[in-house]
């Protein structure tokens, strides 16, 4: 792959994470271009990245921002587009792993393992990233250099923290089903929806061994109660499109917390 472009989405609060991502891109992917799509209301600059202004006023639409990011990279001449969450740094072999996989399976969506770094790992030393490798257990982690095709059930595990597609495949996905579905607004649901579209269209999803990304630590709430309304709305959107409820663990936990309940037809917020 001659031209590799890294794309990310970021709000002003994630600028520091993007700068650390760029440091890792510069170390491990020195020839790669970088694009940042701004989300949120506050504009900001990212030295070393081609910044694309906000995708519009109103609630954040992560699906639309990812589509904008992919389109921008392809329009700029990318052969391979690597999507990374703003919080994620590429490992030493992420670029080469995705590039080799794309050469073998250019029609596939490629996904590598992600390690969630701990607070005690800070400040991050790029030379020590490999020592901290402990991939998230909810996703497959094939041996290094091994490509593992997802089973039908595993398409539901797709997440956008780290994945890659050839420019040709990105154009095809945009033409076939629009890329990420922009009916989802705010947090939750759009990644699983993307996976369902891949499965429905027969697009291979392939787990790429050794293409490690490292998620920088930041405080989180579990479940994400600050996104309760968006999760309920997006869960309804997903159910309408696919016939089953996503994010079931969060919905059940919200129910246990007295924040939401299933009324026999849909999930509703507790008053």
């Amino acid at each position: 792959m001659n031209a590799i472009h890294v794309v990310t989405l970021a709000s002003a609060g994630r600028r520091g994470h993007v700068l650390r991502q760029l440091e890792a891109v510069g170390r491990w992917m020195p020839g790669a271009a970088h694009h940042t799509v701004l989300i949120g209301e506050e504009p900001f600059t990212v030295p070393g990245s081609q910044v694309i202004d906000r995708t519009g006023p109103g609630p954040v639409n992560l699906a639309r921002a990812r589509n904008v990011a992919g389109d921008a990279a392809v329009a700029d001449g990318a052969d391979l587009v690597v999507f990374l969450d703003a919080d994620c740094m590429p490992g030493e072999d992420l670029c080469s792993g995705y590039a080799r996989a794309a050469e073998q399976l250019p029609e596939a969506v490629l996904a590598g393992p992600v390690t969630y770094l701990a607070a005690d790992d800070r400040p991050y030393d790029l030379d020590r990233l490999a020592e901290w490798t402990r991939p998230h257990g909810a996703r497959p982690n094939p041996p290094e250099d091994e490509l593992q095709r997802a089973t039908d059930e595993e398409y539901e595990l797709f997440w956008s923290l780290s994945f890659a597609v050839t420019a040709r495949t990105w154009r095809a996905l945009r033409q076939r089903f629009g890329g990420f579905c922009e009916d989802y607004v705010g947090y939750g649901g759009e990644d699983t929806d993307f996976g369902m579209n891949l499965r429905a269209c027969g697009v291979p999803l392939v787990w790429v061994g050794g293409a490690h990304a490292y998620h920088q630590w930041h405080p989180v709430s579990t479940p994400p109660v600050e996104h309760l309304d968006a999760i309920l709305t997006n869960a309804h959107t997903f159910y309408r499109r696919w016939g089953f409820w996503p994010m079931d663990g969060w919905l059940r936990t919200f129910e246990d917390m007295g924040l939401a309940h299933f009324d026999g037809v849909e999930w509703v917020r507790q008053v």
Side-chain angles (χ1 to χ4, degrees), residues 109-164:
V109 172
L110 309 165
V114 178
T115 287
Y116 274 73
L117 297 173
D120 291 344
D121 295 331
R122 299 173 298 171
Y124 303 117
D125 181 347
L126 295 183
D127 292 325
R128 297 191 61 197
L129 281 184
E131 298 177 28
W132 296 324
T133 303
R134 44 180 183 270
H136 194 288
R139 267 74 180 174
N141 176 34
E144 188 172 350
D145 295 330
E146 182 174 308
L147 303 181
Q148 179 179 313
R149 287 181 180 254
T151 65
D152 281 352
E153 292 75 18
E154 287 175 344
Y155 276 83
E156 296 178 31
L157 300 179
F158 172 83
W159 58 359
S160 58
L161 272 71
S162 172
F163 75 100

Side-chain angles (χ1 to χ4, degrees), residues 18-43:
V18 176
L19 292 176
R20 283 188 287 273
Q21 179 185 104
L22 276 161
E23 180 185 358
V25 168
R27 172 76 70 87
W28 311 128
M29 308 167 67
H34 192 279
H35 307 261
T36 302
V37 174
L38 306 187
I39 56 177
E41 294 299 321
E42 184 180 347

Side-chain angles (χ1 to χ4, degrees), residues 204-248:
L205 173 62
V206 174
W207 311 111
V208 182
H212 292 283
Y214 298 83
H215 187 282
Q216 302 169 63
W217 181 89
H218 59 78
V220 296
S221 54
T222 304
V225 293
E226 68 274 22
H227 298 296
L228 172 63
D229 291 327
I231 288 171
L232 293 177
T233 298
N234 288 338
H236 295 155
T237 298
F238 187 97
Y239 182 83
R240 185 175 67 250
R241 286 170 57 80
W242 300 105
F244 68 96
W245 294 100
M247 304 176 283
D248 183 67

Side-chain angles (χ1 to χ4, degrees), residues 69-93:
D71 291 349
V74 170
D76 198 42
D79 295 313
L80 181 69
V81 185
V82 177
F83 289 76
L84 286 175
D85 187 270
D87 305 328
C88 286
M89 297 179 290
E92 181 175 4
D93 298 322

Side-chain angles (χ1 to χ4, degrees), residues 5 44 61 65 71 87 95 102 118 167 183 248:
H5 290 226
F44 59 96
N61 189 313
D71 291 349
D87 305 328
C95 180
D183 292 348
D248 183 67

Side-chain angles (χ1 to χ4, degrees), residues 164-257:
V165 291
T166 63
R168 178 180 176 182
T169 294
W170 178 252
R171 291 191 191 97
L173 299 180
R174 290 287 275 153
Q175 183 174 17
R176 293 175 75 177
F177 55 82
F180 286 87
C181 176
E182 298 181 14
D183 292 348
Y184 297 89
V185 178
Y187 190 87
E190 79 283 353
D191 279 5
T192 310
D193 186 281
F194 186 81
M196 293 300 94
N197 269 319
L198 296 179
R199 185 171 70 183
C201 292
V203 178
L205 173 62
V206 174
W207 311 111
V208 182
H212 292 283
Y214 298 83
H215 187 282
Q216 302 169 63
W217 181 89
H218 59 78
V220 296
S221 54
T222 304
V225 293
E226 68 274 22
H227 298 296
L228 172 63
D229 291 327
I231 288 171
L232 293 177
T233 298
N234 288 338
H236 295 155
T237 298
F238 187 97
Y239 182 83
R240 185 175 67 250
R241 286 170 57 80
W242 300 105
F244 68 96
W245 294 100
M247 304 176 283
D248 183 67
W250 286 346
L251 294 174
R252 296 296 177 186
T253 303
F254 289 148
E255 184 176 45
D256 292 341
M257 296 171 68

